[in-house]
Amino acid sequence: MRKLLSLGIAGALIASSLVVAVTPATAASGRLVSVTALRTYPTWGDVDAALAADKFDPGTDRFGVRTYRLVYRTTDATGKPTTASGLVALPINGWRWLRTVSFGHGTEIFKGDAPSTSDDIFVIGPALTFASAGFAAVAPDYVGLGVGPGPHPWMDVPSETTASLDLLRAARDFTRTQGKQLTRDVYASGFSQGASTALGLARALQSGADPWFRAAAVAPISGAYDFRRAEIPALFTSEVHPVLASAYTSYLLVAFDRLHDIYPTPGYVFRKPYVGLAGLFDGNHTGEEVLGALPATIDDLLTPQGKALLLHPTGRFAEALAEADSVCTNWTPRMPVRLYYSPGDEQAVNANTDHCHTALAARGVRAPTVDLGVNTAYNGFVHEGSEVLGVPAATRWFAELSK
């Protein structure tokens, strides 16, 4: 949730608003609606400069990169047809066949802070890193972010998975117009919220959700894989930064109530004067606006009933949390898995990674946890720093596997 903390923007080298016409869309999932050319980084040195300015390790850069915004057909969290957007980054080289990395971004609340609508290198840096290393990089904005309609159903793994899969399909069609082809192999990664997205996508590909694409490896970074037994209890402790505990709790309750109807009225869970918070989570308010409206602690935010709902979920809320947490518990990955984390994460607490590792091990899956070390370059927070450390590490691993 970096955008709740900082609005620093890193400009790109070259930008364009050219819109490329695409075959008229139908309701079919993954069908392209439009393509917008965004930025060109002509050489690997240009990518280096952009990444290094925002603390990313540019050591895997080999090629220049072109980026695009794709708008495509998908379905929303209720299964209804909608559109979504996402970022596609392609290396500037003579390769015709490209392996793909799908990267799920971390928590954002403002539509303009999604990968295809942001100039912030923290948001687009992963796609630049993977593309400059020679992969085709796709980064879904998710439903309700970017230029997609409606509010974003935060931490809804099914719609995140569908948006990711449909962007892969749209990207496959688009890259053909650029004289390139995507191979079957998809390497899935993601940070924070996107860590669950990566596991959800890998699970779907392994199950045969698409006849072409297959999951080659999955490398989630600092995810909240166990909301019920790790993340939510930690929100009420000193492990999670108090202001961010208030922010994540608000987003969770508002988003899950919209989709699952988990409480009768906002006043049931939120204390006055915070009963109107839901209106701020519509995708049109910036992180600064939301943060300014939140109390400094979770105790100031919640009613006794709200606290009880979180700590002792039942009914639809318990079912929804179980679905979110299933990315580590209800399948047996048959591709290589690594779980990246940074010690002392004050947002996605390390117990999440421990629980995911244990759950996968119980199913006979070797999913080593990889200690990234600590980087507090972003506002002094370990969590954001773990993306900066984790993306180059995942890039090197994917490159080794793809040799």
Side-chain angles (χ1 to χ4, degrees):
M1 196 179 287
R2 178 176 184 247
K3 288 301 177 185
L4 288 180
L5 304 169
S6 171
L7 295 179
I9 300 295
L13 183 66
I14 298 175
S16 171
S17 59
L18 172 66
V19 176
V20 181
V22 178
T23 303
T26 70
S29 292
R31 182 68 62 89
L32 272 167
V33 176
S34 67
V35 177
T36 303
L38 296 175
R39 301 164 200 87
T40 298
Y41 304 81
T43 71
W44 65 266
D46 299 316
V47 180
D48 271 11
L51 292 174
D54 217 44
K55 309 297 191 301
F56 281 89
D57 174 9
T60 59
D61 293 347
R62 297 174 60 196
F63 307 106
V65 174
R66 291 190 179 95
T67 64
Y68 307 85
R69 178 191 305 121
L70 270 58
V71 178
Y72 58 98
R73 299 288 183 185
T74 189
T75 52
D76 67 15
T78 67
K80 296 179 180 177
T82 188
T83 58
S85 54
L87 181 71
V88 171
L90 298 179
I92 300 174
N93 59 23
W95 298 358
R96 181 181 178 187
W97 289 92
L98 299 174
R99 295 177 175 87
T100 306
V101 175
S102 178
F103 187 84
H105 67 79
T107 295
E108 304 289 359
I109 62 171
F110 178 53
K111 288 178 181 289
D113 289 336
S116 83
T117 51
S118 176
D119 287 327
D120 189 339
I121 296 298
F122 185 84
V123 178
I124 67 175
L128 294 180
T129 300
F130 292 122
S132 190
F135 295 94
V138 301
D141 294 337
Y142 308 143
V143 172
L145 292 174
V147 298
H152 171 54
W154 186 59
M155 289 303 300
D156 179 60
V157 174
S159 66
E160 293 166 8
T161 299
T162 302
S164 300
L165 181 57
D166 287 338
L167 179 58
L168 283 172
R169 294 165 173 155
R172 178 177 55 199
D173 291 341
F174 167 65
T175 53
R176 292 190 185 114
T177 71
Q178 305 302 301
K180 297 180 182 293
Q181 300 273 351
L182 300 186
T183 72
R184 298 189 67 189
D185 291 334
V186 176
Y187 298 83
S189 185
F191 163 68
S192 194
Q193 175 184 357
S196 293
T197 303
L199 287 163
L201 175 63
R203 177 175 58 186
L205 292 174
Q206 180 174 290
S207 71
D210 186 88
W212 176 251
F213 292 114
R214 62 188 178 192
V218 58
I221 304 166
S222 301
Y225 315 110
D226 192 350
F227 252 81
R228 183 164 185 176
R229 294 174 179 83
E231 189 64 24
I232 288 177
L235 294 172
F236 294 91
T237 73
S238 60
E239 277 193 276
V240 178
H241 187 279
V243 176
L244 293 180
S246 180
Y248 285 123
T249 298
S250 300
Y251 208 175
L252 175 67
L253 289 173
V254 169
F256 275 50
D257 185 60
R258 281 183 181 142
L259 191 56
H260 303 289
D261 189 20
I262 62 173
Y263 49 80
T265 65
Y268 182 82
V269 294
F270 296 122
R271 293 182 184 273
K272 293 180 180 181
Y274 306 111
V275 293
L277 280 175
L280 295 177
F281 290 95
D282 60 357
N284 298 315
H285 292 80
T286 66
E288 281 190 337
E289 288 179 279
V290 174
L291 189 63
L294 293 171
T297 71
I298 194 172
D299 289 330
D300 295 329
L301 174 72
L302 296 176
T303 63
Q305 298 97 316
K307 183 175 181 179
L309 177 66
L310 285 167
L311 292 176
H312 307 287
T314 60
R316 288 186 293 268
F317 188 37
E319 293 172 1
L321 290 173
E323 184 173 60
D325 294 342
S326 70
V327 292
C328 295
T329 61
N330 76 344
W331 70 301
T332 303
R334 295 194 298 271
M335 76 290 294
V337 180
R338 285 186 178 179
L339 304 172
Y340 293 92
Y341 75 99
S342 284
D345 193 320
E346 68 292 278
Q347 295 179 50
V349 297
N350 295 151
N352 285 287
T353 299
D354 294 339
H355 290 193
C356 185
H357 171 78
T358 300
L360 292 174
R363 302 178 74 89
V365 178
R366 183 180 179 275
T369 59
V370 180
D371 183 341
L372 293 166
V374 173
N375 179 342
T376 57
Y378 281 91
N379 308 296
F381 285 97
V382 173
H383 186 60
E384 279 76 4
S386 68
E387 177 184 278
V388 177
L389 294 170
V391 166
T395 303
R396 290 185 172 93
W397 185 48
F398 290 162
E400 291 173 4
L401 292 173
S402 64
K403 288 180 180 177

